[in-house]
Amino acid sequence: MSQQPATGPVVHAGAVAFANHLPFALIAGPCQLESREHALTIAAALKEMTERLGIGLVFKSSFDKANRTSGSTARGIGLEGALPIFSEIKERFGLPVLTDVHEASHCAAAAEVVDVLQIPAFLCRQTDLLLAAAATGRVVNVKKGQFLAPWDMAHVAAKVTGAGNPNVMVTERGASFGYNTLVSDMRSLPVMARVTHGAPVVFDATHSVQQPGGQGATSGGQREFVPVLARAAVAVGVAGLFIETHQDPDSAPSDGPNMVPLAAMPALLARLQAFDRLAKDSAS
């Protein structure tokens, strides 16, 4: 049975609604924005499968992977190169777009195009970054740091709402467990909902199976456990799922080991949708 409330705040990213009591919405796309053609291909495929299933979709990709394990690995095409691509995705497919911001100076420029500003887990307590994101009025999705307890997110969310922006979501992406390993405590999902007064809770199923620095100069991952953890999260009850995907994860420039192959997404989403319906029907 779902542990989430039957009602609560609803946050809208474009036409996509996120709320802990509503059917889950999906945040998905490639980890790193590789090129215009690649982003359009992934966005088109995701739009087709989610429309067929009736799942709300926010397209996600990062213009800069500022926290790569090694300084020699590819970071991305940068904000200036990314914004026209994000704009085209919005216009061509009618999809809201999410991207990470790493500095306060990124927020206003990114908010001119994207619908959701995401605060990376390592930066979730950076007050100036949170306030700059809040000031844009866009949805702010904050990933819980691997070093934080779920109840600590009350203070993180309050920085955004206290700045006058009620459009905040919080995301679980695993907690550090020894070296190069993360674990997901499903108790954190209802806890974060409770301490943030019902803010939509998202479960990041792909970064939760990441093995930070696990391959030496890059991170490893165990993508075979993405469906396992995602099913557990929707059984608890979440507003959204965050799943990075790629047509050939093993050739991706970032986070390949924990990304879901694009071809596997339709079956995975259909199964998760069935779990989500069962959990939320039981709670109603």
Side-chain angles (χ1 to χ4, degrees), residues 2 5 8 16 40 46 61 66 75 80 91-92 94 130 162 173 177 184 211 215-217 227 247 250 254-255 280:
S2 171
V16 178
L40 291 174
L46 288 169
S61 198
R75 287 182 52 168
E80 185 175 345
E91 292 172 8
R92 180 178 293 199
L130 290 163
R173 51 102 0 115
F177 186 74
S184 293
Q211 296 172 315
Q215 295 184 348
Q247 85 284 356
D250 291 332
S254 177
D255 273 344
K280 288 168 183 168

Side-chain angles (χ1 to χ4, degrees), residues 68-94:
R68 297 302 304 268
T69 302
S70 169
S72 64
T73 48
R75 287 182 52 168
I77 67 174
L79 180 59
E80 185 175 345
L83 289 181
I85 299 172
F86 290 149
S87 181
E88 185 172 358
I89 288 170
K90 287 168 62 81
E91 292 172 8
R92 180 178 293 199
F93 302 114

Side-chain angles (χ1 to χ4, degrees), residues 8-22:
V10 180
V11 170
H12 289 91
V16 178
F18 289 86
N20 296 321
H21 62 284
L22 295 179

Side-chain angles (χ1 to χ4, degrees), residues 94-208:
L95 295 175
V97 173
L98 173 152
T99 198
D100 306 281
V101 288
H102 304 90
E103 302 173 7
S105 61
H106 291 159
C107 295
E112 292 181 6
V113 174
V114 304
D115 303 88
V116 184
L117 300 179
Q118 181 166 276
I119 309 300
F122 286 128
L123 300 176
C124 69
R125 286 175 41 163
Q126 296 298 106
T127 301
D128 289 344
L129 178 58
L130 290 163
L131 295 181
T136 67
R138 294 295 194 180
V139 176
V140 180
N141 181 41
V142 189
K143 289 197 172 183
K144 179 176 75 64
Q146 302 91 326
F147 45 87
L148 287 186
W151 44 87
D152 293 332
M153 289 300 285
H155 306 294
V156 173
K159 292 180 182 181
V160 178
T161 58
N165 186 342
N167 302 307
V168 64
M169 307 194 300
V170 291
T171 294
E172 172 61 67
R173 51 102 0 115
S176 295
F177 186 74
Y179 300 122
N180 305 124
T181 305
L182 300 170
V183 295
S184 293
D185 180 358
M186 294 300 163
R187 295 174 299 179
S188 74
L189 303 173
V191 169
M192 285 200 297
R194 185 175 69 245
V195 301
T196 60
H197 306 289
V201 174
V202 178
F203 182 71
D204 181 344
T206 43
H207 286 99
S208 290

